Amino acid sequence: MQTQLVQLIEKKLADALREIDSITLEAVDTACHGIGPAPTCPHARDVMKAIHHACGRGHVERAKIAREVIVSTISPIKDMLTPKAADQIMAVITKAFPEDWFLSVAQNIRDVYKGGSIPANKFHERAFEVEFSAMRIGAINASLRGISSVRTALDEILLQRPPWWKRLRNGIWRFFALPLVKWVFGIAAIVIAAVLLNILGLKGP
């Protein structure tokens, strides 16, 4: 069950983050739309700021959706979450939140400006590096915040679990006592029905 839970979360998380990333990359494409040899080509600094803003929103949404996926998936079955399963889930989360997410997209802007017929005054290396460094720091912080947010949610769920003896009692009831009670009541119902049929004279020959 624990393995299935981790696999389910991994799949749901991947699907949710893929949607967020798609929206973010669309915003990045919009920011790059005006780049070209025309005099109206935006300065690389302005493009990087727009990309930085779009990716920043993307990081925030990724952290938000990751926490929502974890809480909505585990809350209905929180009694079954174990510390070991929580650690396995965190391994999935850590993998999904690398510190360089979206940075490769921004880094390619340098090649776009330097590799074409774009006016030289539209690109300043120093301005590019300053904005890219800010993006790198923001990406690292966003990654750490996202991971920490999910870890906190898991710790809260673990604290809400009942004591081990209650879980044992519930398990015994669910797997042993409840089926036995159903069986006893089933037999009792058959006996009562037979008695009533006999009293009413409806019993067959």
Side-chain angles (χ1 to χ4, degrees), residues 30-86:
T30 299
C32 299
H33 182 70
I35 298 176
T40 56
C41 174
H43 195 281
R45 176 189 57 252
D46 298 328
V47 173
M48 288 292 290
K49 286 183 180 297
I51 293 176
H52 189 176
H53 184 64
C55 293
R57 289 200 311 269
H59 283 302
V60 171
E61 289 300 315
R62 290 179 110 252
K64 179 181 176 182
I65 201 68
R67 185 183 176 98
E68 289 177 355
V69 167
I70 296 300
V71 173
S72 64
T73 304
I74 297 178
S75 289
I77 53 172
K78 61 185 178 183
D79 291 357
M80 304 183 68
L81 180 67
T82 65
K84 180 179 179 181

Side-chain angles (χ1 to χ4, degrees), residues 43-44 109-110 113-114 119-125 128:
H43 195 281
I109 294 299
R110 177 193 279 112
Y113 272 86
K114 286 192 169 184
N121 65 342
K122 296 295 183 178
F123 181 85
H124 292 161
E125 184 69 31
F128 173 87

Side-chain angles (χ1 to χ4, degrees), residues 1-8 88:
M1 181 63 183
Q2 299 293 331
T3 300
Q4 293 174 337
L5 174 61
V6 174
Q7 291 175 344
L8 174 62
Q88 292 174 336

Side-chain angles (χ1 to χ4, degrees), residues 21 24-25 28 51 55-56 58-59 62 93-108 132-145 147:
D21 291 345
T24 301
L25 292 177
V28 170
I51 293 176
C55 293
H59 283 302
R62 290 179 110 252
I93 294 296
T94 301
K95 183 179 178 181
F97 281 83
E99 294 183 349
D100 60 348
W101 201 246
F102 295 136
L103 288 185
S104 60
V105 176
Q107 196 168 23
N108 289 336
F132 185 73
S133 296
M135 286 191 66
R136 182 186 293 113
I137 294 172
I140 293 173
N141 289 336
S143 175
L144 295 176
R145 285 197 304 269
I147 294 171

Side-chain angles (χ1 to χ4, degrees), residues 132-186:
F132 185 73
S133 296
M135 286 191 66
R136 182 186 293 113
I137 294 172
I140 293 173
N141 289 336
S143 175
L144 295 176
R145 285 197 304 269
I147 294 171
S148 177
S149 176
V150 174
R151 178 77 259 185
T152 300
L154 286 174
D155 289 342
E156 290 175 350
I157 293 173
L158 286 172
L159 287 174
Q160 294 169 8
R161 296 194 318 157
W164 68 268
W165 57 270
K166 284 189 177 181
R167 297 199 304 273
L168 178 61
R169 182 192 63 187
N170 293 340
I172 292 175
W173 170 256
R174 185 182 300 115
F175 294 108
F176 297 103
L178 184 58
L180 179 61
V181 168
K182 289 181 178 178
W183 179 78
V184 170
F185 273 101

